[in-house]
mmCIF file of all heavy atoms in Angstrom:
data_model
loop_
_atom_site.group_PDB
_atom_site.id
_atom_site.type_symbol
_atom_site.label_atom_id
_atom_site.label_comp_id
_atom_site.label_asym_id
_atom_site.label_seq_id
_atom_site.Cartn_x
_atom_site.Cartn_y
_atom_site.Cartn_z
ATOM 1 N N ASN A 90 -76.293 -3.304 123.908
ATOM 2 C CA ASN A 90 -76.094 -4.163 122.742
ATOM 3 C C ASN A 90 -76.717 -5.527 123.014
ATOM 4 O O ASN A 90 -76.548 -6.088 124.100
ATOM 5 C CB ASN A 90 -74.607 -4.324 122.439
ATOM 6 C CG ASN A 90 -73.946 -2.992 122.163
ATOM 7 O OD1 ASN A 90 -74.446 -2.177 121.393
ATOM 8 N ND2 ASN A 90 -72.816 -2.752 122.813
ATOM 9 N N VAL A 91 -77.435 -6.052 122.032
ATOM 10 C CA VAL A 91 -78.171 -7.308 122.186
ATOM 11 C C VAL A 91 -77.411 -8.422 121.467
ATOM 12 O O VAL A 91 -77.224 -8.371 120.256
ATOM 13 C CB VAL A 91 -79.597 -7.171 121.615
ATOM 14 C CG1 VAL A 91 -80.371 -8.470 121.771
ATOM 15 C CG2 VAL A 91 -80.344 -6.015 122.296
ATOM 16 N N TYR A 92 -76.973 -9.436 122.215
ATOM 17 C CA TYR A 92 -76.249 -10.584 121.674
ATOM 18 C C TYR A 92 -77.205 -11.772 121.620
ATOM 19 O O TYR A 92 -77.862 -12.086 122.611
ATOM 20 C CB TYR A 92 -75.039 -10.935 122.545
ATOM 21 C CG TYR A 92 -73.992 -9.852 122.544
ATOM 22 C CD1 TYR A 92 -74.077 -8.784 123.431
ATOM 23 C CD2 TYR A 92 -72.930 -9.890 121.645
ATOM 24 C CE1 TYR A 92 -73.124 -7.768 123.416
ATOM 25 C CE2 TYR A 92 -71.977 -8.887 121.630
ATOM 26 C CZ TYR A 92 -72.075 -7.827 122.519
ATOM 27 O OH TYR A 92 -71.138 -6.831 122.505
ATOM 28 N N ILE A 93 -77.249 -12.428 120.457
ATOM 29 C CA ILE A 93 -78.255 -13.456 120.220
ATOM 30 C C ILE A 93 -77.604 -14.737 119.713
ATOM 31 O O ILE A 93 -76.795 -14.699 118.781
ATOM 32 C CB ILE A 93 -79.273 -12.961 119.174
ATOM 33 C CG1 ILE A 93 -79.918 -11.667 119.647
ATOM 34 C CG2 ILE A 93 -80.316 -14.033 118.879
ATOM 35 C CD1 ILE A 93 -80.416 -10.806 118.524
ATOM 36 N N ALA A 94 -77.980 -15.865 120.305
ATOM 37 C CA ALA A 94 -77.621 -17.167 119.749
ATOM 38 C C ALA A 94 -78.639 -17.458 118.655
ATOM 39 O O ALA A 94 -79.781 -17.834 118.929
ATOM 40 C CB ALA A 94 -77.643 -18.246 120.821
ATOM 41 N N ASP A 95 -78.250 -17.201 117.403
ATOM 42 C CA ASP A 95 -79.110 -17.373 116.230
ATOM 43 C C ASP A 95 -78.960 -18.819 115.770
ATOM 44 O O ASP A 95 -78.243 -19.128 114.821
ATOM 45 C CB ASP A 95 -78.681 -16.365 115.164
ATOM 46 C CG ASP A 95 -79.648 -16.266 114.012
ATOM 47 O OD1 ASP A 95 -80.785 -16.767 114.125
ATOM 48 O OD2 ASP A 95 -79.254 -15.683 112.980
ATOM 49 N N THR A 96 -79.647 -19.699 116.445
ATOM 50 C CA THR A 96 -79.402 -21.134 116.415
ATOM 51 C C THR A 96 -79.441 -21.766 115.022
ATOM 52 O O THR A 96 -78.498 -22.436 114.618
ATOM 53 C CB THR A 96 -80.387 -21.847 117.351
ATOM 54 O OG1 THR A 96 -80.255 -21.270 118.654
ATOM 55 C CG2 THR A 96 -80.109 -23.334 117.433
ATOM 56 N N ALA A 97 -80.519 -21.580 114.285
ATOM 57 C CA ALA A 97 -80.642 -22.243 112.981
ATOM 58 C C ALA A 97 -79.688 -21.655 111.935
ATOM 59 O O ALA A 97 -79.419 -22.299 110.921
ATOM 60 C CB ALA A 97 -82.077 -22.191 112.479
ATOM 61 N N ASN A 98 -79.168 -20.455 112.196
ATOM 62 C CA ASN A 98 -78.163 -19.867 111.301
ATOM 63 C C ASN A 98 -76.739 -20.179 111.752
ATOM 64 O O ASN A 98 -75.779 -19.732 111.125
ATOM 65 C CB ASN A 98 -78.351 -18.349 111.194
ATOM 66 C CG ASN A 98 -79.483 -17.985 110.264
ATOM 67 O OD1 ASN A 98 -79.707 -18.645 109.262
ATOM 68 N ND2 ASN A 98 -80.202 -16.924 110.586
ATOM 69 N N HIS A 99 -76.606 -20.883 112.869
ATOM 70 C CA HIS A 99 -75.293 -21.307 113.381
ATOM 71 C C HIS A 99 -74.357 -20.114 113.587
ATOM 72 O O HIS A 99 -73.186 -20.147 113.180
ATOM 73 C CB HIS A 99 -74.640 -22.335 112.433
ATOM 74 C CG HIS A 99 -75.560 -23.447 112.065
ATOM 75 N ND1 HIS A 99 -75.861 -24.470 112.939
ATOM 76 C CD2 HIS A 99 -76.279 -23.676 110.936
ATOM 77 C CE1 HIS A 99 -76.710 -25.298 112.363
ATOM 78 N NE2 HIS A 99 -76.993 -24.833 111.157
ATOM 79 N N ARG A 100 -74.870 -19.066 114.241
ATOM 80 C CA ARG A 100 -74.071 -17.865 114.440
ATOM 81 C C ARG A 100 -74.515 -17.131 115.696
ATOM 82 O O ARG A 100 -75.600 -17.378 116.232
ATOM 83 C CB ARG A 100 -74.182 -16.929 113.231
ATOM 84 C CG ARG A 100 -75.587 -16.366 113.039
ATOM 85 C CD ARG A 100 -75.706 -15.541 111.776
ATOM 86 N NE ARG A 100 -77.083 -14.999 111.668
ATOM 87 C CZ ARG A 100 -77.512 -14.277 110.660
ATOM 88 N NH1 ARG A 100 -76.702 -13.977 109.656
ATOM 89 N NH2 ARG A 100 -78.746 -13.816 110.645
ATOM 90 N N ILE A 101 -73.663 -16.235 116.149
ATOM 91 C CA ILE A 101 -74.000 -15.306 117.222
ATOM 92 C C ILE A 101 -74.104 -13.929 116.570
ATOM 93 O O ILE A 101 -73.187 -13.492 115.889
ATOM 94 C CB ILE A 101 -72.921 -15.280 118.329
ATOM 95 C CG1 ILE A 101 -72.697 -16.683 118.905
ATOM 96 C CG2 ILE A 101 -73.295 -14.271 119.405
ATOM 97 C CD1 ILE A 101 -73.888 -17.295 119.569
ATOM 98 N N GLN A 102 -75.237 -13.280 116.768
ATOM 99 C CA GLN A 102 -75.474 -11.964 116.195
ATOM 100 C C GLN A 102 -75.380 -10.911 117.308
ATOM 101 O O GLN A 102 -75.786 -11.178 118.439
ATOM 102 C CB GLN A 102 -76.869 -11.867 115.576
ATOM 103 C CG GLN A 102 -77.034 -12.620 114.293
ATOM 104 C CD GLN A 102 -76.381 -11.906 113.142
ATOM 105 O OE1 GLN A 102 -75.197 -12.058 112.910
ATOM 106 N NE2 GLN A 102 -77.156 -11.123 112.420
ATOM 107 N N CYS A 103 -74.888 -9.727 116.961
ATOM 108 C CA CYS A 103 -74.917 -8.597 117.874
ATOM 109 C C CYS A 103 -75.695 -7.481 117.205
ATOM 110 O O CYS A 103 -75.341 -7.049 116.096
ATOM 111 C CB CYS A 103 -73.503 -8.122 118.230
ATOM 112 S SG CYS A 103 -73.555 -6.711 119.363
#
Side-chain angles (χ1 to χ4, degrees):
N90 301 312
V91 180
Y92 295 86
I93 302 154
D95 191 14
T96 304
N98 282 324
H99 310 284
R100 65 185 181 182
I101 303 298
Q102 287 284 85
C103 180

